[in-house]
Structure formats: C-alpha cells, structure tokens
Amino acid sequence: QVQLVESGGGLVQAGGSLRLSCVVFGGTFSMYAMGWFRQAPGKERELVVARNWSNGYTHYAEFVKGRFAISGTSAKNTVYLQMSGLKAEDTAVYYCAASETWGDMWTMKIAYWGQGTQVTVSS
C-alpha cells in the first residue's frame, strides 16, 4: 500500500519561503504522476503543480508560476514543493497526491493522498 507523508508546513511571513516534502512509502514516485494541491477554508481543493515524471512535463497553476517549484529525489523517494514569495492568499492545507496516469491527475482521479500540511502566511 502506497502512503504519502508530507512535512514542512508552518507559519511564515509574507514574502518568505517554505519547502514542503512528500515521502513516498510503498512505491516509487517516478512511477506516478505527482502533484501538490491546496485547500483554503471554505474553498475547493485546487491543483498547484503537477509533474509527469515519465517525460518531465510540469504544469503550474497561474497563481504560483515563478514562485513555486516542484522537484524530486530518487535517493529519498521524496517530492518537494519549494515555495517562495509567499502571499497571504497562499494560506491553505497543502496535499501531496499521486495518480496512476497524467490524465488522472487532471480529472482529480487521485490514487493516493497525503494527510496534508498547513501553510499559514501572515501579512
């Protein structure tokens, strides 16, 4: 059974940076399409970034382009989300997600979710 375990959330001032980590247990992250979603109070869960590891294609939501970056390291079987230039509107619970195919990621047919990590940006 695949499990995704996130860490790295916290409280940061506007303009600051955080790096979220997602360790993949029971599977190899490069075999899946991996992404980060977020959900703010009273709002729907939304895609932040997703990567198709088979060809390296990456999609960033417009609201994070140029500020956030996804990466991964095989040695630690871990996917990262480096966030910089954080804004108050980035405050949300961030979730790591894995889907069997790239297409599944777009339709939110997510095979595995992490437990979520809270990111709070103070203005």
Side-chain angles (χ1 to χ4, degrees):
Q1 180 71 11
V2 175
Q3 285 187 304
L4 310 179
V5 179
E6 301 120 333
S7 61
L11 174 64
V12 63
Q13 289 188 333
S17 300
L18 280 176
R19 188 178 76 163
L20 306 183
S21 300
C22 173
V23 182
V24 180
F25 295 97
T28 303
F29 77 82
S30 58
M31 294 179 64
Y32 300 92
M34 298 290 297
W36 289 91
F37 290 74
R38 71 185 188 186
Q39 188 166 20
K43 295 188 176 181
E44 292 188 352
R45 193 169 296 189
E46 59 184 357
L47 177 66
V48 175
V49 58
R51 173 169 284 179
N52 184 344
W53 298 99
S54 65
N55 60 17
Y57 181 77
T58 305
H59 172 82
Y60 289 95
E62 284 295 326
F63 52 79
V64 300
K65 277 186 178 179
R67 300 189 298 124
F68 291 12
I70 188 171
S71 63
T73 173
S74 298
K76 297 184 178 181
N77 209 23
T78 299
V79 176
Y80 302 99
L81 180 64
Q82 179 67 49
M83 306 184 293
S84 58
L86 284 162
K87 306 174 182 179
E89 51 264 42
D90 294 319
T91 295
V93 177
Y94 284 71
Y95 296 91
C96 180
S99 61
E100 298 286 351
T101 69
W102 183 241
D104 285 351
M105 180 65 67
W106 285 106
T107 57
M108 288 193 69
K109 186 180 176 183
I110 303 300
Y112 308 102
W113 289 102
Q115 82 282 4
T117 185
Q118 176 71 46
V119 172
T120 303
V121 184
S122 62
S123 56

